[in-house]
Amino acid sequence: MNSLNDFFENLDPETLDGHGPVAMKDLVEEDNKNVVGTYCVFTPYEVIRAADAIPVTLCSTSDATIEDGEEDLPRNLCPLIKSSYGFAITDKCPYFHFADIIVGETTCDGKKKMYEYLDDVTPVHVMNLPQSNDRDIDFEIWKDEVVLLKEKLEAKYDTEITKERLKEEIENKNKERQAIKNFYELGKLNPSPLYGTEIFKVINITNYTFDKEIAIDRINEISEEVLERYNNGDKRISEDAPRILITGCPMGQATEKVIKAIEDNGGSVVCLESCTGLKPNDQLVNEDIDPIEAITEKYLNTPCSCMSPNDNRVELLNRLVEEYQVDGVVDMILQACHTYNVESHRIKEELKEASNTPYINIETDYSQSDVGQLETRLTAFLEML
Amino acid sequence: MYYIGIDIGSTGAKGVLYKDDIICREIMPTGWKPKETGRNLYYKLLNDSNISEKDIENVVVTGYGRVAVDFADKVVTEITCHAKGGYYLNNSVRTIIDIGGQDSKVISLDSNGQVKDFIMNDKCAAGTGKFLEVTINSLGASLDEIDEITEGVEPVKINSMCTVFAESEIISLISAGKNKEEVAMGVINAIAEQGKNLLKKIKVKDIVLFTGGLAKSSVIKDTLSKKINENIITSRDSLYAGAIGAAVIASEL
C-alpha cells in the first residue's frame, strides 16, 4: 500500500471489525443486546446507550425500495421517507430487522405521518420536537420529551437509566464526536488531503461500527495515516481545485452522485455539512451540567431546516465557509423536502451578504436519471468560480 | 489559425468557424447519434469554408451532447459558452435568457462577461421548444407561422405547464369554441410566463439578450419583454450563441 488512493480503495467496510450487519447480528444473537432504530440526528443517542441498547440509524439512501414504499405512500414525497418505509415493510434492511423499537421525531410532516404506518411493523416512539429552539418553553418541551424517552426505554427494557450512566455515555459519545471531527477537519488543509467521497465513507464506517472503542481507534488511525502521508507529499488534489461545501438534506449512496459530479469535474469537496456529515458532531454535549439538561440543549440546537427560524444553520455555514476556505456552496435538496427547499433562498442571500460566496441549489432524488443534468449544473457552477 | 465551436443541443447541433470574426455557421438536427452529428458538423464547416483540418488550432464542444464527442480539445458547459457567446455578440449584455429545445436557462453576467449566477429549468421540458412544438402541432399549425397567426391576438389562459397536460387542455379549449389563434397566443403567453419566473429568480439587469431556438420568434420576445418590463434584444446569431462562445473559448486556450 503506497498511496492514499490505495489506502482508501482498500478500506473495505465489509471486512472491518465490529462493523455492519454481521456485527449487529452477533450483538443481538450472542450478546443479547437490544437495538433501537433511529432516523434523525435529534434522537438523544446517549439515552439509548445508557439503557444498554444499541442505537442504529435507519435512514435509507438507496432507491431499491422506493416502489415498495409507494404502495402506501404518495409518489410526491421525500425519497428518504419512501425508501426507509419501503425497507421496513419488505424487511430488506438488516438494521431495521433487528430493531425492537424505533425512536422518531416530528421533524417533518412526511416522517411524522409515515411513523403512524411504521408503527404497525415495529413499535415507534415519537418525540414531539418543538419547531423552534430560541424560547425557554422550547427547552422545557424538549427536556420533557427526553425524560419521556428515558422512561419509555426503562419500562421496555426493565432497567434504570441513572445519572451516572448518562454521564458515562455522554463522555463516550463526545469522544467519538471529537474523533470524527478530528478526521473531517483534515479537509481544512489546502489542498485537502481527502476526497468528499472518502470523508463520507469514513464517517459512515464509524457510525455503523457498534463497538465504539474499535470505531474511535480506527478513525484516529485513519486520521494519523492520512496526515502522515499528506505531510510526506502525497497530495492528490490540485491547489487550484475550487473548494466546495455541501449542505442540505442527508446524503448517502444514491445521492453520492452529487459529490461525484463535483469531484469528477474538477471540484474538491472539503466539507459535508449535512446531518450525514458534520452537523451532529460539531457541538459536543456539556459534561459539566445535569446530563438531561445537557442532552436537551445539544440536540435542540441541531441546525436543521425544520426549525423556524433556523439561525443556527446560517451561523454554522458562515463559520464553515471561513474555516474551510470555501469557494462555493452546493445545497443538495431532496425532492419534496419543503423546509430545505424554502430555506434555500435565505441561505443564498445570507452567504452573499456575509462573504459573497457563490451558491447553487440542486434538487434531486434517489434515481440516477438526472446525473447528466446534475453534471451540467455543477460543472457550470465550478466553471463560474 | 482557425477555431471551431460546436454546440450539440437536444434538438439542433450548431457549429461556428472562427478567426478574429465568425467565418462560417452551420446547423443540423442533432438526431440520434450526437457523436456522428458532431463529426459531420465539423467537416461541413471545413468543406464550406475550404479549410483543411490542419488549419484548426482548437475545438471546443458544448451542449448536452458535449460528452459524446471525442475530438474536442476542451469540453465546456453550455452555461459558460452562452455567457461567452452572448458577451461576444454584445458586450453590454448583463442577462441572457436561452430557451432551447428541451431546457431553458437564465445567466447573469458581470461587466467582464463572467458568469455571476445562473439558473436552469426543472427536469421537464415545460416552457421550452419541445413544449411549443407539441402544443402548436396539436393546433394543426407549424412553428414557422406562430408570429404571423398570433399578431394582435388576445391570449386565452392556459394553466398547464406540463406538455402532456397542456395538450389535453388545448383540445378542451378548441372543443369549447376558442379559435386556433387565441390558443396559440395562450401557448406563447405560457412560455413567456415560465421565462419570466426564471428571470425573476436571478436579478434581471439590462441589457437582456434572448438566445436559443425560440429567440427567432418576435412574438415570444415581445411578450416576454412586456412581462418583465425590460427591453429584450436578440441577434441574428442568437441561435449560435453557445457555439460562438465555444469558438471564442477555443481561441483563448
Side-chain angles (χ1 to χ4, degrees):
Chain A
M1 216 185 285
N2 42 23
S3 71
L4 273 176
N5 272 345
D6 294 337
F7 174 75
F8 280 107
E9 263 167 43
N10 287 318
L11 188 68
D12 177 9
E14 303 294 318
T15 63
L16 296 175
D17 255 10
H19 173 272
V22 177
M24 168 135 292
K25 184 167 179 276
D26 290 346
L27 283 168
V28 173
E29 291 178 357
E30 287 168 23
D31 303 344
N32 288 320
K33 285 285 186 190
N34 298 306
V35 176
V36 177
T38 68
Y39 283 101
C40 288
V41 296
F42 282 101
T43 315
Y45 182 98
E46 295 86 345
V47 177
I48 299 170
R49 278 278 177 174
D52 286 323
I54 313 282
V56 61
T57 170
L58 302 175
C59 278
S60 304
T61 51
S62 123
D63 71 344
T65 57
I66 297 244
E67 278 180 29
D68 299 303
E70 283 174 356
E71 281 178 24
D72 298 332
L73 300 173
R75 273 181 71 87
N76 182 25
L77 185 68
C78 149
L80 189 150
I81 301 175
K82 289 191 288 190
S83 168
S84 300
Y85 181 73
F87 272 106
I89 56 171
T90 54
D91 200 20
K92 280 182 183 160
C93 168
Y95 301 122
F96 189 96
H97 176 86
F98 289 117
D100 321 303
I101 183 171
I102 285 161
V103 179
E105 296 80 26
T106 51
T107 44
C108 70
D109 290 350
K111 268 190 175 165
K112 180 171 83 183
K113 298 305 285 183
M114 183 270 277
Y115 292 145
E116 293 174 16
Y117 298 158
L118 199 62
D119 190 55
D120 293 337
V121 189
T122 299
V124 182
H125 173 83
V126 177
M127 300 178 78
N128 276 308
L129 184 70
Q131 311 225 323
S132 58
N133 51 23
D134 54 352
R135 307 169 307 167
D136 292 343
I137 186 87
D138 298 323
F139 183 87
E140 294 308 322
I141 293 170
W142 190 235
K143 186 177 159 188
D144 284 349
E145 288 291 341
V146 174
V147 171
L148 282 176
L149 173 68
K150 171 179 163 288
E151 289 167 0
K152 174 85 184 186
L153 294 174
E154 285 176 329
K156 177 155 182 86
Y157 296 130
D158 192 21
T159 184
E160 193 194 344
I161 299 176
T162 61
K163 276 197 174 183
E164 287 64 38
R165 281 292 290 122
L166 281 173
K167 278 183 175 278
E168 200 179 321
E169 291 303 337
I170 287 173
E171 283 174 25
N172 288 341
K173 184 66 182 170
N174 277 349
K175 266 186 213 149
E176 187 192 4
R177 287 192 186 105
Q178 191 57 55
I180 296 177
K181 238 173 125 121
N182 293 345
F183 168 72
Y184 64 64
E185 285 187 348
L186 291 170
K188 288 183 185 176
L189 292 166
N190 195 351
S192 171
L194 298 164
Y195 288 109
T197 44
E198 294 165 351
I199 300 176
F200 187 74
K201 183 179 185 178
V202 172
I203 294 178
N204 229 14
I205 286 173
T206 310
N207 286 344
Y208 286 96
T209 300
F210 307 106
D211 183 327
K212 288 305 172 186
E213 267 182 45
I214 298 179
I216 294 169
D217 287 347
R218 181 153 53 220
I219 195 167
N220 284 337
E221 280 165 27
I222 293 173
S223 301
E224 281 168 30
E225 184 89 39
V226 170
L227 193 59
E228 199 189 314
R229 284 169 196 267
Y230 179 82
N231 286 336
N232 286 333
D234 193 351
K235 298 194 169 108
R236 303 170 292 166
I237 297 167
S238 156
E239 270 183 45
D240 301 331
R243 295 167 63 84
I244 303 298
L245 177 149
I246 303 182
T247 178
C249 293
M251 291 193 101
Q253 235 175 314
T255 49
E256 272 191 74
K257 63 187 173 184
V258 176
I259 307 179
K260 289 207 182 82
I262 295 169
E263 298 198 322
D264 288 349
N265 291 291
S268 166
V269 174
V270 295
C271 182
L272 299 166
E273 182 265 351
S274 65
C275 50
T276 42
L278 175 151
K279 199 172 278 183
N281 304 298
D282 184 62
Q283 299 295 316
L284 304 184
V285 177
N286 188 343
E287 296 179 10
D288 303 327
I289 57 172
D290 172 73
I292 292 286
E293 299 222 331
I295 287 170
T296 305
E297 184 186 31
K298 143 82 187 170
Y299 288 94
L300 185 64
N301 282 314
T302 303
C304 176
S305 65
C306 66
M307 288 292 167
S308 179
N310 186 20
D311 297 342
N312 287 350
R313 183 172 174 223
V314 175
E315 280 160 32
L316 176 64
L317 282 173
N318 283 334
R319 170 159 64 81
L320 295 175
V321 163
E322 199 180 316
E323 286 179 2
Y324 287 78
Q325 306 146 66
V326 168
D327 298 312
V329 171
V330 173
D331 201 354
M332 188 210 75
I333 298 169
L334 293 174
Q335 259 165 31
C337 180
H338 301 323
T339 53
Y340 272 104
N341 238 330
V342 172
E343 203 164 275
S344 166
H345 176 67
R346 177 176 178 199
I347 298 296
K348 183 177 184 175
E349 294 299 317
E350 297 269 8
L351 284 168
K352 189 185 274 178
E353 197 183 308
S355 54
N356 214 8
T357 305
Y359 164 97
I360 186 174
N361 86 38
I362 291 290
E363 198 182 353
T364 188
D365 61 9
Y366 286 180
S367 76
Q368 299 299 307
S369 62
D370 61 349
V371 168
Q373 279 129 325
L374 287 180
E375 290 228 349
T376 299
R377 285 163 174 75
L378 290 167
T379 309
F381 183 66
L382 294 169
E383 286 169 353
M384 184 181 107
L385 299 174
Chain B
M1 287 308 254
Y2 293 87
Y3 305 93
I4 285 182
I6 290 178
D7 174 11
I8 304 186
S10 62
T11 311
K14 286 79 69 178
V16 162
L17 181 75
Y18 176 81
K19 182 191 183 180
D20 306 323
D21 203 352
I22 300 166
I23 313 286
C24 175
R25 346 169 146 61
E26 298 290 351
I27 181 165
M28 54 176 71
T30 300
W32 301 106
K33 292 180 178 163
K35 187 175 168 180
E36 239 168 65
T37 309
R39 266 276 162 218
N40 294 341
L41 200 56
Y42 175 78
Y43 287 118
K44 201 163 189 299
L45 284 166
L46 294 182
N47 291 339
D48 290 359
S49 330
N50 279 323
I51 284 175
S52 79
E53 214 163 332
K54 63 174 175 12
D55 298 322
I56 304 298
E57 175 94 20
N58 292 313
V59 182
V60 167
V61 183
T62 186
Y64 110 100
R66 65 189 185 281
V67 284
V69 172
D70 54 5
F71 57 92
D73 293 290
K74 194 174 181 183
V75 167
V76 180
T77 64
E78 46 270 44
I79 312 285
T80 304
C81 287
H82 269 273
K84 202 86 186 172
Y87 190 76
Y88 173 86
L89 292 172
N90 181 339
N91 62 16
S92 307
V93 165
R94 295 293 173 270
T95 309
I96 295 173
I97 175 158
D98 172 76
I99 307 184
Q102 281 179 35
D103 75 25
S104 45
K105 46 190 163 286
V106 171
I107 308 165
S108 163
L109 308 181
D110 65 17
S111 55
N112 300 313
Q114 296 298 311
V115 179
K116 261 175 35 187
D117 201 358
F118 66 91
I119 188 157
M120 291 180 83
N121 66 329
D122 301 330
K123 275 185 187 179
C124 83
T128 66
K130 201 57 173 172
F131 177 82
L132 182 67
E133 187 186 324
V134 170
T135 47
I136 291 293
N137 286 347
S138 72
L139 287 171
S142 84
L143 288 179
D144 297 330
E145 55 180 333
I146 49 166
D147 280 0
E148 199 183 312
I149 64 174
T150 53
E151 205 184 332
V153 175
E154 276 303 305
V156 294
K157 176 89 183 143
I158 291 176
N159 294 300
S160 308
M161 276 318 294
C162 165
T163 311
V164 177
F165 290 148
E167 203 178 352
S168 321
E169 193 177 339
I170 286 167
I171 293 167
S172 318
L173 287 167
I174 296 289
S175 316
K178 300 286 178 193
N179 69 42
K180 173 169 120 178
E181 290 75 15
E182 287 172 299
V183 179
M185 193 55 207
V187 169
I188 302 291
N189 198 50
I191 289 172
E193 191 65 29
Q194 190 87 343
K196 182 186 90 178
N197 290 341
L198 273 186
L199 279 161
K200 278 174 84 179
K201 284 187 186 165
I202 299 271
K203 286 194 179 79
V204 185
K205 275 180 81 180
D206 202 19
I207 292 174
V208 185
L209 175 71
F210 187 14
T211 65
L214 298 196
K216 64 180 177 213
S217 157
S218 60
V219 63
I220 296 180
K221 187 193 81 174
D222 295 343
T223 313
L224 191 54
S225 286
K226 234 178 268 166
K227 278 194 194 289
I228 62 164
N229 229 351
E230 294 277 358
N231 187 31
I232 297 177
I233 61 163
T234 56
S235 154
R236 69 185 181 97
D237 277 329
S238 269
L239 182 59
Y240 296 95
I244 292 169
V248 173
I249 292 171
S251 75
E252 291 169 353
L253 284 180

